[in-house]
Amino acid sequence: MSQEAQPISILSASECWDLLAGAPLGRLVTSTEGEPHIFPVNFAVQNRTVLFRTAEGTKLVASAISKEVLFEADGYEDTQGWSVIVKGTARSLHTEEEIAEAETANLVPWTATVKNHFVRIRPLNITGRRFVFGARPAGS
Amino acid sequence: MSQEAQPISILSASECWDLLAGAPLGRLVTSTEGEPHIFPVNFAVQNRTVLFRTAEGTKLVASAISKEVLFEADGYEDTQGWSVIVKGTARSLHTEEEIAEAETANLVPWTATVKNHFVRIRPLNITGRRFVFGARPAGS
């Protein structure tokens, strides 16, 4: 079996945002009283923020808004995969101006339900890695 | 625009396990001191448990073992998607017998790195939903 010198490589912030922008589905991770929650959402990238839509009054909104959250997306092909994790703060959009800006992101609703509430995650940091698939290194 | 009567449907436990078994990649979610962490891992389903491999001594192992964790996988096609979330407890496998059993799961290593440590998540519960994609309901 061949041995890969660098099976995992660290991505730059630009690469991370480019990969995020091409991913249709991500996962919001929140923590309430020490208990983690995960919510799959479809999303858009706009000016290096993560934007998604949800219904008002949901558990998602309650656990995410004004708190530090994680947002993860990943993807894979035959021989490699990647994952990007944004750590940031989530905020509901309320003013006409901020909602108008969010509308320009062309965010496609994930499900055919009413989701009239925009949430934007502003990043504190973004990290990403690319993985090479394959067998374990020789000798391991 | 047509209005879907049931844009979201709840999956049975059997459907959840079947979908999980066909997913190559999932995400482990842990919480340390109230702070959530997310780790993409490749995994296998074995006897209604989630099995994955990791390196020893990692942050993943430290934050997951002997604790309640979440495990999420999802998928989508043109017109629908699904997500399954397992809540369970994670445990490292140590005895020859349990490692031999795990080896039979044919778990393909995600990256070409040494990952000689098996972790098994035993479910406390499993929930899953199927989403129909589409426009918002008429009138919303």
Side-chain angles (χ1 to χ4, degrees), chain A residues 41-132:
Chain A
V41 294
N42 73 315
F43 71 103
V45 167
Q46 191 177 44
N47 302 326
R48 294 201 166 189
T49 67
V50 170
L51 188 69
F52 61 91
R53 222 180 213 147
T54 186
E56 271 182 288
T58 57
K59 187 172 148 192
L60 182 160
V61 170
S63 68
I65 298 307
S66 305
K67 290 183 192 143
E68 270 190 36
V69 298
L70 299 180
F71 189 84
E72 191 265 357
D74 50 52
Y76 56 89
E77 294 147 37
D78 287 347
T79 57
Q80 57 175 24
W82 58 270
S83 84
V84 169
I85 299 173
V86 175
K87 187 177 188 170
T89 52
R91 206 170 71 75
S92 294
L93 306 188
H94 292 296
T95 72
E96 266 183 47
E97 191 179 354
E98 57 194 11
I99 289 167
E101 185 190 6
E103 295 278 6
T104 67
N106 282 325
L107 185 55
V108 180
W110 174 234
T111 57
T113 52
V114 180
K115 295 193 167 182
N116 49 13
H117 197 78
F118 278 112
V119 176
R120 192 186 292 281
I121 301 173
R122 294 194 181 275
L124 298 167
N125 66 57
I126 186 168
T127 55
R129 296 187 300 173
R130 194 180 288 279
F131 311 96
V132 176

Side-chain angles (χ1 to χ4, degrees), chain B residues 19-52:
Chain B
L19 285 165
L20 269 192
L25 178 63
R27 295 122 206 125
L28 175 74
V29 180
T30 65
S31 185
T32 309
E33 294 173 5
E35 206 176 317
H37 303 279
I38 182 167
F39 306 92
V41 294
N42 74 317
F43 71 102
V45 167
Q46 191 178 45
N47 302 326
R48 294 200 166 190
T49 67
V50 170
L51 188 69
F52 62 90

Side-chain angles (χ1 to χ4, degrees), chain B residues 55 65-66 68 85 90 103 116:
Chain B
I65 297 308
S66 306
E68 269 190 36
I85 299 174
E103 295 279 4
N116 49 12

Side-chain angles (χ1 to χ4, degrees), chain B:
Chain B
M1 292 180 200
S2 68
Q3 184 164 3
E4 290 287 342
Q6 288 294 340
I8 298 178
S9 55
I10 306 296
L11 302 174
S12 69
S14 290
E15 289 173 301
C16 288
W17 286 112
D18 286 350
L19 285 165
L20 269 192
L25 178 63
R27 295 122 206 125
L28 175 74
V29 180
T30 65
S31 185
T32 309
E33 294 173 5
E35 206 176 317
H37 303 279
I38 182 167
F39 306 92
V41 294
N42 74 317
F43 71 102
V45 167
Q46 191 178 45
N47 302 326
R48 294 200 166 190
T49 67
V50 170
L51 188 69
F52 62 90
R53 222 180 213 148
T54 185
E56 271 183 289
T58 57
K59 187 172 147 191
L60 182 160
V61 171
S63 69
I65 297 308
S66 306
K67 289 182 194 143
E68 269 190 36
V69 298
L70 298 179
F71 190 84
E72 191 266 356
D74 50 50
Y76 55 89
E77 293 147 38
D78 288 347
T79 59
Q80 57 175 25
W82 59 271
S83 83
V84 169
I85 299 174
V86 175
K87 187 175 186 170
T89 50
R91 205 171 70 77
S92 293
L93 305 189
H94 291 297
T95 71
E96 266 182 48
E97 190 179 353
E98 58 194 10
I99 290 166
E101 184 190 6
E103 295 279 4
T104 67
N106 284 326
L107 185 56
V108 181
W110 175 234
T111 56
T113 52
V114 180
K115 295 193 167 182
N116 49 12
H117 197 76
F118 278 111
V119 176
R120 191 186 293 280
I121 301 173
R122 294 192 181 276
L124 297 167
N125 66 57
I126 185 166
T127 55
R129 296 188 300 174
R130 194 181 288 280
F131 311 97
V132 176
F133 298 156
R136 280 181 282 182
S140 69

Side-chain angles (χ1 to χ4, degrees), chain A residues 13-37:
Chain A
S14 291
E15 289 173 299
C16 288
W17 286 112
D18 287 349
L19 285 166
L20 270 191
L25 178 62
R27 294 126 208 123
L28 175 73
V29 181
T30 66
S31 185
T32 309
E33 295 174 3
E35 207 176 317
H37 304 279

